[in-house]
Every structure is written in C-alpha cells, then in structure tokens.
Amino acid sequence: MASRSHRRRPSKRRSVLVSAVGVAAVGLLLSLVMVLRPDGEPDTVQSAADPSAGHRSSATPSAPARKPAPKQKPKAKGQPKQSKASPTPTTTTPSARPSPTSAPRSSPRPASGTAPLAGRIQPQVTYKGVATHYDAADGDGACLYGPSPDLMVAAMNHTDYETSKACGAHILVRAANGASVTVRVTNECPLPCAPGQLDLSKEAFAKLAGLSAGRIPITWSLLSPSTSDTVSIRYKTGSSSHWCGIQALGHRNPLARLEVKTGSGWSRLTRTEYNYFLSPGGTGCGGALRLTDIYGEQLTVDGIAIRPDAVQPTRVQFARH
C-alpha cells in the first residue's frame, strides 16, 4: 500500500504572488520598449493623433470643441428688414442722412420758398376747373373794392376764396379752344361753387366762349402783372381811434398780412371775409402800417390818417414775380 505523500500542495497565496510578479515583469518590458522607440511616443497617443486610425477613444478628443458663433438677435415684429445691398454704415455723418420726405398734397405745389405765405392759390401752379358767368354790374363784390375800372373781374369759389385771401389776385384763365383772359378777383362765388370754379363776369366769359355755353372747362393760374399803380389804403365806415377796419387796394400780388405799429412792435390784425383787417380796440389805428404779400415782401406805410371811406394812395408797390 502506497504511503501518502507528505508533499504540501501549493497554496493560493503563492499563486497570486506569482501572477503579480509576472504582470510587473510584463509592464517593465513594455516600458523599456516605449522608451527605446525612435519617436519616444506611445502607440496609444500616436493612434489618437493619426487621422487614419479607425478608432478614437471617446475619453481623449482629438481637438477641443469650439464655441458656436452667437446667433443674431431676431428682429422685432414689424421692424423693416435691412437691405443686403446697402448695409448700414457703422458711422453716420449728418450730411449722409436722407432729407425727410414731406407728405403728398392734394394739388401740386411750387418749389419751397417761392411763396411762403400763400394759401390755397399758389404761384406757378395751373389749376383745373370750370367757368360760369354772372352779371357783375359795376364790378364790385364781396371784396368791397367798390366799382371796378373795367369789368374783367371774377368771383372765386368759396373754398379758394379762403376768407378773402384771394381778393385782388390777378388770374390768367384759359379755355380748351385756346382763348384766354386775365381777370381780377373782386367777389366770392358761394357754395355749391366747387373748388377750381370761377364765376366770370359776362364780359370776361365772352372772351372765352359764347354766353349760351353757360359752363366750360378751364385752366387758370396766378399772375403778378405789370402795373404803374401803387397800393392804396382805406379805412372802413365808422373807424376811429377806438375801433377801425383797414383795407389795402391796388396791390400787385395777393396780400397775406396787414400789421399796425404799437409800442411793443408790430401787431397783426385779423382778416374778415369782407376783406378788411380789424383792430377791435383801436390799437394802431391811424399809425404806421406794414403790408406783406404772399412772397414775404413787406411794405411800410406812414402818414395814413383815419378818414373813413376815403381811398388814400401811397408811393409803394410790391415787386413783380
């Protein structure tokens, strides 16, 4: 009978030790290989840097991620889009700013500054309308000028009469047949006379067409006529140093303002529909006057006494335009 071996079986502790020694030896060997490589760089690093490598470690990115470019702030609703062809400059000089555009008007207007005080009737503008006729008698009318030296007169429609601002205006009227006549506004044509309409004296209408036509299409424009006459001044009936109404007659261009001299300067009087300028408290009555036409020209008149209903001539006249 075989005897039992007294040799002890290797313990588990010795096996673990042997395994650890083996792993350490292999690690040392690998370290020596990496140190002795010509480029001195481990294979794992080369593999990460090599673009031809088929696999990259997710723990070691090839390059740091970039910040995304900031997105443009969305435009507010209703904000105009910027033109791509003309980007907004970073600096803007006052000369580069566009001039403001004025709002469109219902009728054409002349260049700015031509007649800064003109109302509805502007110079250098041709208006369209119709002409009718009436019996002008002696040529007097709502403007209260009195009898006219001739009967080439007209009544301006209520809208363009503009609280007597059209009084004394010289108008060139043309018919479709080519005939024309020059008239002076001495009256108002009340509603339903339409804007653009002129009610001519029969004598003036006959220069354009037969009276039987009754109503014809026309064009008309403002004139600044040649004249040797000077402006005259008249005080209204009942005028005194306590109240007065003042009227200008014979002015070449439409009158925009009438002012009286006071201790503190010039005081503008209110214009009436019957073409007088009133001073209810008598301020300036009998003193110096200043007349301004629609072009802005000013004439100063002295020495006009308060003589109601008397036409007193002056030595001044507005320039021709």
Side-chain angles (χ1 to χ4, degrees), residues 269-286:
L269 301 186
T270 301
R271 190 172 200 160
T272 66
E273 291 187 355
Y274 51 87
N275 196 34
Y276 272 88
F277 294 82
L278 299 185
S279 177
T283 302
C285 296

Side-chain angles (χ1 to χ4, degrees), residues 45-81:
V45 177
Q46 272 201 344
S47 176
D50 188 358
S52 62
H55 174 73
R56 297 178 186 267
S57 173
S58 60
T60 311
S62 59
R66 293 189 180 212
K67 279 188 178 181
K71 294 184 179 178
Q72 287 187 342
K73 187 177 181 181
K75 293 181 180 291
K77 207 169 186 179
Q79 182 179 352
K81 294 183 179 179

Side-chain angles (χ1 to χ4, degrees), residues 103-142:
R105 297 179 182 232
S106 58
S107 59
R109 299 294 184 187
S112 175
T114 302
L117 300 180
R120 290 183 57 84
I121 303 174
Q122 297 271 341
Q124 303 175 23
V125 176
T126 298
Y127 298 90
K128 291 182 179 180
V130 296
T132 51
H133 59 78
Y134 74 109
D135 185 359
D138 60 2
D140 195 9

Side-chain angles (χ1 to χ4, degrees), residues 86-110:
S86 55
T88 304
T90 54
T91 56
T92 305
T93 58
S95 60
R97 292 177 185 172
S99 56
T101 305
S102 57
R105 297 179 182 232
S106 58
S107 59
R109 299 294 184 187

